[in-house]
Amino acid sequence: MGLMSRHYESIKVRAEDGIVFVQMHRPQANNAIDDRLIAELGDALSACEAQATVVVLEGLPEVFCSGADFDEIRGRFERGTIQGQDPEPLYELWRRLACGPFVSVAHVRGRANAGGIGFVAACDLVLAEDVASFSLSELLFGLMPACVLPFLIRRTGIARANYLTLTTQPVSARQALDWGLVDACEADSANLLRKHLLRLRRLGKDGVARYKRYAAELDDSLAAAKPKALAANREVFGDADNVAKIARFVRSGKFPWEAD
């Protein structure tokens, strides 16, 4: 596959028999989301749209994805720049996982937080290690999971999404399974993935693409929510007070309610 000859810095890619494994790989940043990660994942998905029947999205053993790159936000703040990352490329990346002409599978080990939940909720199937955890921590810093919510509500409903947003507390893989965020979990998630791929590899790409297109036509909620989600994201990340809280947290490790 042409995909295998491409050089990436933030992801690792391998392929076998129509299945592409894409691993987010920023261990130095706890798999935080920056512009390069978004761009490289987008490039890989473009190739997958033409070549892959199944796309497996993975993280690191201890952290699937920790959300926005706070260190990058701190750097912009200290340079005097408030407005940060354009949210549209990330929203479109999640929409492609949800609606693209392949089966998207999130294989979650460790911690999935904030924007990491966006990746999880966007995928067709979510398989988790039973010690994985899922959380939305944004409100601790005056933010909100604006772009995550359309994908999360689509999976869990408004009540569960509201609970995760307001409590900011992590829930276990078993709880996430009960709520519909996770489809299956086991102690040996690699074996769980293997069992699912034994069946998924029997699917034909044309049939999968046709089904995904039809499913997207039945539910256009992601497209309808996009303008509001982008506007809300830009509002909270354009708030100087919120950005200052993030910069302080990165420098000192102190949450907004903790004194200097």
Side-chain angles (χ1 to χ4, degrees):
M1 299 173 72
L3 182 58
M4 297 302 98
S5 63
R6 305 186 190 194
H7 173 71
Y8 296 118
E9 296 183 12
S10 298
I11 63 175
K12 292 183 176 181
V13 181
R14 63 184 177 90
E16 56 179 55
D17 300 327
I19 301 173
V20 175
F21 297 82
V22 181
Q23 181 190 32
M24 293 180 282
H25 193 264
R26 298 192 70 217
Q28 77 286 358
N30 285 320
N31 268 9
I33 303 167
D34 67 352
D35 289 334
R36 182 183 297 277
L37 178 67
I38 295 169
E40 291 186 351
L41 285 170
D43 183 77
L45 284 189
S46 292
C48 288
E49 286 174 357
Q51 303 173 26
T53 304
V54 180
V55 176
V56 179
L57 182 65
E58 301 181 294
L60 300 168
E62 299 301 323
V63 58
F64 176 75
C65 176
S66 59
D69 190 330
F70 274 16
D71 192 58
E72 188 176 66
I73 294 171
R74 176 199 57 81
R76 286 196 297 263
F77 176 77
E78 293 180 351
R79 293 191 299 271
T81 302
I82 300 301
Q83 189 62 50
Q85 188 182 80
D86 179 4
E88 186 168 13
L90 182 57
Y91 192 96
E92 278 301 298
L93 185 63
W94 293 339
R95 190 194 60 77
R96 292 169 72 187
L97 285 169
C99 304
F102 43 69
V103 181
S104 55
V105 181
H107 176 207
V108 185
R109 298 174 296 165
R111 180 168 55 95
N113 179 60
I117 300 296
F119 283 109
V120 173
C123 286
D124 297 315
L125 302 176
V126 180
L127 309 177
E129 190 175 35
D130 63 3
V131 295
S133 64
F134 302 82
S135 56
L136 294 173
S137 60
E138 288 90 338
L139 272 180
L140 295 174
F141 298 91
L143 308 171
M144 60 176 157
C147 289
V148 172
L149 282 173
F151 298 86
L152 183 59
I153 291 169
R154 186 169 171 258
R155 258 202 167 262
T156 68
I158 185 65
R160 299 309 189 192
N162 192 52
Y163 181 91
L164 283 167
T165 301
L166 293 176
T167 65
T168 73
Q169 289 291 324
V171 299
S172 68
R174 294 290 174 183
Q175 187 68 73
L177 177 65
D178 289 343
W179 289 358
L181 179 57
V182 168
D183 295 303
C185 66
E186 287 184 7
D188 186 350
S189 62
N191 186 56
L192 179 65
L193 175 63
R194 182 191 64 80
K195 289 187 293 186
H196 278 75
L197 293 180
L198 285 174
R199 194 70 177 184
L200 290 174
R201 70 174 67 248
R202 296 180 180 275
L203 302 179
K205 181 163 180 61
D206 288 347
V208 167
R210 189 174 294 115
Y211 164 70
K212 290 291 296 288
R213 183 171 60 250
Y214 173 61
E217 290 170 352
L218 288 177
D219 178 5
D220 65 351
S221 61
L222 298 179
K226 180 179 174 180
K228 293 179 180 179
L230 298 184
N233 179 282
R234 289 173 178 136
E235 179 184 359
V236 295
F237 278 97
D239 185 316
D241 185 54
N242 290 345
V243 178
K245 291 173 183 176
I246 292 171
R248 175 178 178 268
F249 176 75
V250 174
R251 287 194 307 268
S252 67
K254 292 182 178 180
F255 287 97
W257 59 87
E258 295 180 309
D260 289 324

